[in-house]
Amino acid sequence: MPVATPKKVKKDSNIRVDAQRKVSGKAKFIEDVEYKNILHGATIRSPVTHGRIRGFKNRDEIKNMPGVKAVITADEIPGDNIVPFVKEDYPCLAEKEVKFYGQAVALVAAETPEEAKAAAETAELIIDEYPGIYDSIESMTPDAVYVGGDDNVHSYFKIRKGNIDEGFKGADVIVERVYNSGHQVHCYLENQGMIAEPIQNGAISVKGSMQCPFYVHNALVKVLGFKYSKVRVVQADTGGGFGGKEDMPSIVAAHAALLANKTGMPVSLIYDREEDFHTMSKRHPSRTRIKYGATTEGKLVACEAEYIVNGGAFCTLSPIVAWRGIIHITGPYEIENIKADSYAMATNTVPCGAFRGFGQPQVNFANEILIDELAEKLNMDPVELRKKNLLKPGSKTATNQVVGSSCGMAETLDKTLDKIKFKEHKGNDKGPVKKGMGISTVFYGVGLGAEGKYFAKAGAQVHIKEDGTVFVAIGNVEMGQGAETVFNRICADTLGCSYDMVEILEPDTTRVPDSGPTVASRATLVGGNAVKDAALKVRDSLFKAAAQKMGVKPFDIKIKDGKYISDEGEIDYVDVVDLAYLSRERVAAQGWYKVENVSFDEKTGLGDAYPVYSYSTNACEVEVDTETGVVKVNRLVAAHDVGKTIHPPSAEGQIQGGAAQAIGYALYENLVLEEGKIVNPSLSGYTIPTTMDLCDVEPILVESAYDEGPFGAKGLGEPPMVGPAAAILNAIHDATGIWFRKIPCLPEDIVKELNKDINKEPKELK
Amino acid sequence: MLPEFNFKRPETLREALKDYSSENYKLIAGGTDMIVEMRKEKDIDYDILDISGLGELKGIKKEKSKIYIGALTTFSDVFTSAVITKEAPLLKEAVRNAGSLQIRNRGTIGGNICNASPAADSVPALVALDAEVNLVSSDGERTLKLDEFITWPYDTDIKEDEILKSISFKPAEYTGYHFYKLGRREALAVSRMNVAVLLNIKNGIIESAVISPGSVMPTPGRVNEAERLAEGNKPSGELFEKAGVKVSEIMIEQSGIRWSTEYKKPVIEQMVKRALIFAAGIKT
């Protein structure tokens, strides 16, 4: 049996595949893409939070300004004046009414960015100002100004399980509290930006910073009134998304495309930081009222919760955010009797949308403090209380979904406590600086779930070239989270080639079928499975070619260390490719994956909400300076059950980055709105923590394999952001004896509460 | 977006003074405050006189027992200066965490003073050192006390044709010093409050105390009432607590009760106390 000469197997680097081009500055973000002749767009925006548009006072003047090539208002939109999200309420350009400060009303294109901006700033709109409503609770009152949705409700969901009244009757101890959280800004490094360009056959091509090329594609079809085949969307290297580039790029792209369509020239539309702050989505501010009932032994018997988020002026993704919130609002516990309601309210503020965690950080912050408050009332260790109630394989979630075998909940808790050496301090340090420890536990439904199942699919193409190198086309994107590396590993490990042989192509909607969005921690599970499916199909050709050569059956072949091996010998991967080419086997294939078996009954709120859940535990040690109110997180340990890890450094990076963002959410980030207008729309006014403020986050990877996942993997993008806020506030309680129920928890809040406490018994709010 | 503007970059102080007296110029030195402000404007209807090339206004020297810091000396130059390290470590500490490294490399001491932000990091330390500002115009020179020069937030007593040439002070007599900055984060943060203190302790008794807070009063200045309280006494936690309370009383007297007072009052008290404890080198 002839065996090919063994070639030196290249020892693969464990470095992310996108690292080099990014750290060396070679990556081309949309602002780096150069054109010889290109126009620059700018947006004319509403100067008020609510009003009726009467007209455009100086349109002719704007048109005649230096360099200006086009001015576009709503009446010139060739297709529908709608950017399609969950509902069709968000106009591409405001026509009659403006509903938030900074809403787009008109567009200009000019020869230079300065000329475009000057024109936009010179524009004067005639607007009759209406009273606005800015608070979600006020928006619920009967005499509130109408903003949108159904009586200002963008969306409503409920869960009814068991018998809530009976449940609480059986409880020995009941605690009920209200928790509030503020807006959070994504603060991606790269602002929103798109370049639109008319291409051959009357089509428009758009390239830019985005998470969801297919959403953008749909929006362009709608707004331009084009056929699907006359639109092309390509994702450029994207400098962070965190959800902020899920739905919003559709607006930016539609605006750029309208200008390109009208002028017949490429148009670049790049936001500056202030514009991005004022107009792009944010994390929903929330009010969560939650009530736990438990027996004296610590068994949770009932939970009632109400979750109200401020959705802002338009619906965008609020329904799904509020849905994810309510599915998880009772915490990672098995509870028989549940009543939960969630409302996304319309207000005259910037529309809120997707942000890492997607409605879950708000509710986790609430239920995970409440569980500690309950433990205090029961005079029980909060760890013990959790252990008595945590979900495990076979448990039922709030929606009556049976937890599958991939559930590392308990293991994440044990490993976290062990690593941080958890013990409660109860603020017994001498001096003004008090230390404290806190924990939080999280379960997280991976992917879009039952309410987003229409998008729960992905396609990919794997195409092996003559020398064994591979092109992978996939519709899910790299935005800094490591997807390229994950797809690379999944493809290479399936084919048995080395990592450096696999190239991930830039996502292009003309090259792969609609793969759904790159959100909800779904890229590894759904996109990864599509890549694997395609790679397996091509591998069949390789098996066939190798089998023929070795005189065995294809199923007799195994892959090990870059070789195709049978009892009759072994052949190097590249030589197998050579054989496949010689025998003209198929060397390219489409892969497909769709998520099945999810359900949600809107009447009861019960069903198999997500295909699988990820589990995590966060524990931290904080130092509270009781005299200045400054809190420092000294240590943060986070253990995540990820199914199986595809690329450990990226997974650990996700955990660390998510925790950093959560520390900012809990302690620093304070977006201030006055009368619906953001007053600190900048990175100097809106404080995010720097590396000087952060501790080394200590990640732990727990592996409880998920059979459906590629190589057993689940999802990890969002969970690291979900839990730390509660752990931090629980630690602050441990240090000071005070429950803080609002985030951001600022030095002012701490000093205020501590000074209130002088000469008083610790408060017991009822 | 930075609007268009005209600018000129003179090479000598003489040339600069001549231009400055005859035309409608605004001065720019490091630009770390100016450029930010200019970006906010729609049109710039003044011209810019870029004095950053004037070597005569740079550098630190000791002359006749006085320290002179050229107005165009950057924060980084102050921080690394051997003279400052030896003679005025309080000032070194004050500039240590001003802005970011990039800002410290460009931002100048003179600019920090003339911008007159209540949150300026160098000013409380310089006021503690009894610094004077040396101003020059085509008509000649004059010297003012720094705490009298700054008249209101973002306002100074500088005349239209005057340029700040240098800051000078006599090395203070002290046995301990401290600069306490409280920002919203550990780096790249504007001071929410800060305080510079100097203590001169002889034979266990505080002979002199200097307490110079920033971002607390409308204008920079020492809090003499608090200083008197400390002087003549043995350093102790209780004594410094009283000094802190005095500072907060004066703050409310001068600035009134604001939304931020609920936080600032108790916190400035503790900051003053901590700074004095640190400067005295005592344990509590």
Side-chain angles (χ1 to χ4, degrees):
Chain A
M1 179 72 221
V3 170
T5 345
K7 285 186 187 138
K8 205 174 162 194
V9 177
K10 186 182 181 305
K11 193 170 184 302
D12 264 320
S13 149
N14 208 18
I15 295 172
R16 293 169 56 128
V17 296
D18 57 334
Q20 203 196 345
R21 71 174 193 269
K22 285 177 179 167
V23 296
S24 64
K26 287 185 184 120
K28 288 238 185 272
F29 298 93
I30 194 62
E31 219 174 338
D32 303 322
V33 177
E34 283 178 20
Y35 277 78
K36 273 210 179 105
N37 292 307
I38 190 165
L39 298 176
H40 299 269
T43 311
I44 296 168
R45 299 185 176 281
S46 170
V48 301
T49 56
H50 198 189
R52 174 154 293 273
I53 302 170
R54 291 287 174 209
F56 194 158
K57 196 171 166 189
N58 56 351
R59 184 178 175 136
D60 289 341
E61 183 196 341
I62 304 294
K63 245 180 156 170
N64 294 322
M65 281 179 71
V68 172
K69 293 289 175 197
V71 180
I72 297 180
T73 44
D75 54 309
E76 290 163 81
I77 292 173
D80 296 340
N81 184 15
I82 286 290
V83 184
F85 301 120
V86 176
K87 291 182 183 171
E88 299 204 332
D89 66 339
Y90 199 155
C92 183
L93 293 171
E95 192 165 2
K96 295 182 180 123
E97 200 183 2
V98 283
K99 293 189 181 180
F100 74 96
Y101 176 87
Q103 187 182 343
V105 179
L107 302 164
V108 291
E111 284 169 353
T112 68
E114 291 77 18
E115 287 166 340
K117 191 151 186 186
E121 282 175 358
T122 308
E124 283 181 59
L125 302 168
I126 310 163
I127 295 178
D128 292 346
E129 208 171 337
Y130 291 162
I133 195 145
Y134 310 115
D135 177 78
S136 54
I137 308 302
E138 259 177 68
S139 172
M140 291 181 127
T141 56
D143 52 350
V145 175
Y146 177 73
V147 184
D150 189 359
D151 276 344
N152 283 349
V153 180
H154 283 313
S155 82
Y156 167 74
F157 289 104
K158 65 181 175 190
I159 298 177
R160 299 287 183 268
K161 181 172 119 167
N163 184 324
I164 194 69
D165 296 332
E166 289 301 314
F168 279 112
K169 267 184 209 158
D172 300 311
V173 176
I174 295 172
V175 282
E176 180 177 10
R177 299 285 184 261
V178 174
Y179 300 86
N180 288 287
S181 71
H183 284 95
Q184 188 181 19
V185 186
H186 304 83
C187 295
Y188 25 65
L189 276 173
E190 180 201 25
N191 291 330
Q192 303 275 359
M194 291 285 169
I195 291 177
E197 182 185 11
I199 52 173
Q200 69 277 16
N201 304 331
I204 289 257
S205 173
V206 171
K207 186 168 188 174
S209 188
M210 68 184 86
Q211 291 176 227
C212 309
F214 303 95
Y215 283 5
V216 173
H217 198 115
N218 292 344
L220 296 176
V221 166
K222 186 102 181 161
V223 171
L224 295 171
F226 282 14
K227 293 192 173 88
Y228 269 83
S229 58
K230 294 294 182 190
V231 170
R232 178 184 183 194
V233 179
V234 179
Q235 186 231 13
D237 264 323
T238 293
F242 311 111
K245 289 172 187 165
E246 173 170 359
D247 48 349
M248 294 295 108
S250 296
I251 300 175
V252 188
H255 289 169
L258 284 171
L259 290 166
N261 188 46
K262 177 151 182 183
T263 59
M265 284 182 66
V267 176
S268 160
L269 185 60
I270 314 274
Y271 285 8
D272 66 21
R273 188 63 71 174
E274 188 176 336
E275 184 173 30
D276 202 296
F277 255 76
H278 276 303
T279 63
M280 295 289 99
S281 67
K282 307 283 173 281
R283 186 186 303 288
H284 292 73
S286 71
R287 193 191 75 168
T288 304
R289 186 181 56 75
I290 176 163
K291 181 173 162 187
Y292 276 145
T295 63
T296 41
E297 293 77 35
K299 169 102 190 90
L300 288 171
V301 291
C303 176
E304 186 179 320
E306 182 192 63
Y307 181 41
I308 302 167
V309 297
N310 182 346
F314 297 102
C315 179
T316 70
L317 297 162
S318 287
I320 320 186
V321 169
W323 185 73
R324 178 177 278 281
I326 194 174
I327 298 296
H328 296 89
I329 200 163
T330 57
Y333 310 112
E334 183 161 26
I335 306 172
E336 260 177 48
N337 304 293
I338 289 171
K339 173 176 184 260
D341 300 88
S342 79
Y343 301 84
M345 300 305 301
T347 65
N348 293 109
T349 56
V350 60
C352 290
F355 193 152
R356 195 180 203 172
F358 210 75
Q360 250 195 281
Q362 295 96 318
V363 299
N364 184 270
F365 147 72
N367 78 59
E368 283 302 294
I369 298 176
L370 188 69
I371 196 85
D372 268 36
E373 297 202 44
L374 175 64
E376 187 183 61
K377 233 177 163 183
L378 286 165
N379 200 17
M380 189 180 277
D381 176 3
V383 173
E384 270 323 296
L385 178 58
R386 282 182 176 80
K387 282 188 171 172
K388 284 174 195 275
N389 295 285
L390 280 176
L391 295 172
K392 53 185 182 292
S395 306
K396 283 183 177 171
T397 67
T399 64
N400 261 347
Q401 180 170 0
V402 178
V403 173
S405 62
S406 169
C407 173
M409 183 76 256
E411 194 182 341
T412 66
L413 179 62
D414 291 341
K415 286 196 164 158
T416 303
L417 297 175
D418 193 47
K419 180 145 192 176
I420 203 161
K421 299 196 179 2
F422 188 78
K423 61 174 189 290
E424 287 181 77
H425 290 249
K426 294 292 177 210
N428 52 5
D429 312 76
K430 284 183 183 166
V433 177
K434 312 281 187 200
K435 279 188 181 174
M437 277 198 183
I439 60 164
S440 68
T441 42
V442 178
F443 79 128
Y444 168 90
V446 179
L448 298 165
E451 281 299 293
K453 64 182 174 190
Y454 178 70
F455 296 111
K457 58 187 178 173
Q461 191 194 45
V462 168
H463 173 185
I464 305 183
K465 304 305 287 184
E466 284 82 343
D467 60 354
T469 57
V470 186
F471 285 130
V472 177
I474 170 82
N476 300 113
V477 310
E478 172 67 54
M479 50 173 150
Q481 88 281 38
E484 260 184 48
T485 308
V486 164
F487 298 145
N488 170 291
R489 296 308 192 255
I490 287 172
C491 180
D493 287 345
T494 306
L495 295 176
C497 65
S498 63
Y499 300 143
D500 65 346
M501 297 179 93
V502 179
E503 294 292 329
I504 310 297
L505 298 169
E506 63 183 7
D508 178 338
T509 57
T510 63
R511 198 152 15 188
V512 275
D514 188 343
S515 298
T518 309
V519 302
S521 313
R522 69 185 286 274
T524 299
L525 174 59
V526 184
N529 266 333
V531 171
K532 195 172 176 198
D533 184 46
L536 285 173
K537 285 179 182 163
V538 186
R539 196 178 72 179
D540 283 346
S541 304
L542 302 186
F543 276 170
K544 206 169 154 191
Q548 206 170 22
K549 185 80 179 174
M550 291 191 270
V552 297
K553 299 278 184 214
F555 51 77
D556 292 331
I557 296 181
K558 292 199 166 37
I559 299 178
K560 204 184 168 202
D561 298 332
K563 291 176 175 53
Y564 282 56
I565 300 172
S566 75
D567 291 345
E568 301 301 320
E570 58 180 51
I571 312 177
D572 263 9
Y573 162 78
V574 284
D575 297 317
V576 177
V577 171
D578 218 23
L579 294 169
Y581 263 87
L582 283 171
S583 54
R584 287 167 291 128
E585 294 295 337
R586 183 168 88 168
V587 291
Q590 292 282 343
W592 191 250
Y593 183 75
K594 66 174 177 175
V595 174
E596 311 252 29
N597 302 327
V598 289
S599 60
F600 183 75
D601 176 353
E602 295 211 347
K603 284 196 188 100
T604 59
L606 302 178
D608 292 345
Y610 290 93
V612 69
Y613 295 83
S614 284
Y615 302 86
S616 57
T617 300
N618 298 271
C620 66
E621 182 194 270
V622 303
E623 240 177 53
V624 184
D625 186 328
T626 55
E627 292 177 348
T628 61
V630 174
V631 178
K632 186 131 181 85
V633 181
N634 288 339
R635 287 185 70 196
L636 200 153
V637 177
H640 286 262
D641 165 22
V642 297
K644 282 282 180 186
T645 315
I646 304 285
H647 185 242
S650 296
E652 293 182 352
Q654 282 285 32
I655 294 171
Q656 291 165 328
Q661 215 160 24
I663 290 171
Y665 186 45
L667 297 173
Y668 293 85
E669 302 186 32
N670 187 29
L671 192 73
V672 183
L673 276 74
E674 282 173 12
E675 295 291 302
K677 184 183 165 187
I678 296 165
V679 298
N680 54 341
S682 70
L683 292 175
S684 56
Y686 177 82
T687 307
I688 60 173
T690 67
T691 49
M692 297 290 287
D693 302 285
L694 298 168
C695 57
D696 281 332
V697 174
E698 301 160 60
I700 300 171
L701 295 167
V702 169
E703 299 192 317
S704 177
Y706 173 46
D707 294 343
E708 268 285 302
F711 299 98
K714 297 194 278 196
L716 180 62
E718 297 194 276
M721 169 70 224
V722 175
I728 291 166
L729 268 73
N730 285 337
I732 294 174
H733 170 263
D734 186 33
T736 63
I738 296 177
W739 295 110
F740 290 90
R741 303 190 184 96
K742 176 214 126 197
I743 40 176
C745 182
L746 301 171
E748 291 91 319
D749 302 315
I750 288 174
V751 167
K752 186 177 167 181
E753 284 302 316
L754 285 169
N755 284 345
K756 234 192 233 173
D757 232 41
I758 290 172
N759 307 323
K760 273 188 213 160
E761 290 296 305
K763 300 174 305 298
E764 182 57 38
L765 292 183
K766 247 318 206 184
Chain B
M1 196 169 64
L2 193 57
E4 277 186 29
F5 59 90
N6 296 315
F7 86 104
K8 191 173 176 187
R9 195 165 192 269
E11 280 173 15
T12 64
L13 179 58
R14 209 184 133 96
E15 195 192 329
L17 287 171
K18 190 170 162 244
D19 291 333
Y20 198 42
S21 61
S22 58
E23 300 283 337
N24 175 28
Y25 277 116
K26 273 199 184 184
L27 295 185
I28 196 164
T32 56
D33 287 311
M34 270 293 280
I35 298 286
V36 176
E37 287 309 307
M38 288 162 72
R39 279 183 189 278
K40 291 182 191 161
E41 294 182 38
K42 210 171 164 187
D43 291 306
I44 292 183
D45 56 359
Y46 48 83
D47 296 338
I48 291 291
L49 195 64
D50 174 11
I51 56 169
S52 62
L54 306 182
E56 300 142 275
L57 267 55
K58 290 176 189 171
I60 296 164
K61 62 185 176 187
K62 192 171 176 186
E63 241 179 47
K64 295 180 195 162
S65 79
K66 256 189 174 180
I67 314 286
Y68 287 84
I69 304 176
L72 293 176
T73 310
T74 64
F75 285 97
S76 293
D77 288 341
V78 171
F79 185 72
T80 52
S81 153
V83 177
I84 297 299
T85 303
K86 180 162 176 276
E87 307 277 1
L90 173 67
L91 180 60
K92 184 184 174 91
E93 286 312 307
V95 300
R96 178 189 290 273
N97 285 321
S100 62
L101 182 62
Q102 293 90 330
I103 289 171
R104 293 193 292 276
N105 283 343
R106 276 208 70 85
T108 66
I109 286 286
N112 201 219
I113 291 171
C114 290
N115 187 50
S117 159
D121 280 323
S122 72
V123 170
L126 287 166
V127 166
L129 294 164
D130 267 333
E132 295 174 327
V133 291
N134 305 302
L135 303 156
V136 59
S137 72
S138 339
D139 296 338
E141 300 200 13
R142 65 175 182 133
T143 295
L144 285 175
K145 302 266 287 174
L146 173 57
D147 54 358
E148 289 165 10
F149 175 66
I150 296 176
T151 52
W152 199 245
Y154 304 100
D155 208 358
T156 66
D157 199 17
I158 200 159
K159 289 183 184 154
E160 267 185 12
D161 58 347
E162 275 179 332
I163 293 176
L164 176 62
K165 191 178 164 191
S166 66
I167 301 101
S168 55
F169 55 88
K170 282 186 189 151
E173 262 189 57
Y174 63 89
T175 52
Y177 67 90
H178 194 64
F179 182 80
Y180 194 135
K181 170 172 176 162
L182 185 71
R184 285 251 176 230
R185 59 185 166 201
E186 295 290 319
L188 262 168
V190 176
S191 282
R192 299 192 67 194
M193 286 187 281
N194 57 35
V195 61
V197 303
L198 290 169
L199 284 179
N200 199 16
I201 300 174
K202 291 274 162 67
N203 304 319
I205 300 294
I206 299 168
E207 220 166 63
S208 66
V210 175
I211 301 173
S212 170
S215 268
V216 169
M217 318 289 181
T219 59
R222 292 166 53 176
V223 186
N224 300 118
E225 296 86 339
E227 293 172 353
R228 292 299 87 77
L229 222 151
E231 284 167 359
N233 290 305
K234 273 170 71 174
S236 72
E238 298 87 75
L239 180 72
F240 294 152
E241 174 109 40
K242 282 182 197 159
V245 170
K246 184 54 83 180
V247 170
S248 79
E249 281 172 24
I250 302 290
M251 169 181 86
I252 291 173
E253 238 177 75
Q254 292 197 10
S255 304
I257 304 259
R258 298 159 175 237
W259 68 269
S260 58
T261 309
E262 187 177 41
Y263 178 70
K264 281 192 158 187
K265 182 184 178 303
V267 175
I268 190 66
E269 288 170 5
Q270 297 305 327
M271 287 173 64
V272 169
K273 177 183 165 186
R274 286 182 188 184
L276 288 168
I277 286 172
F278 199 91
I282 59 168
K283 288 203 173 116
T284 54

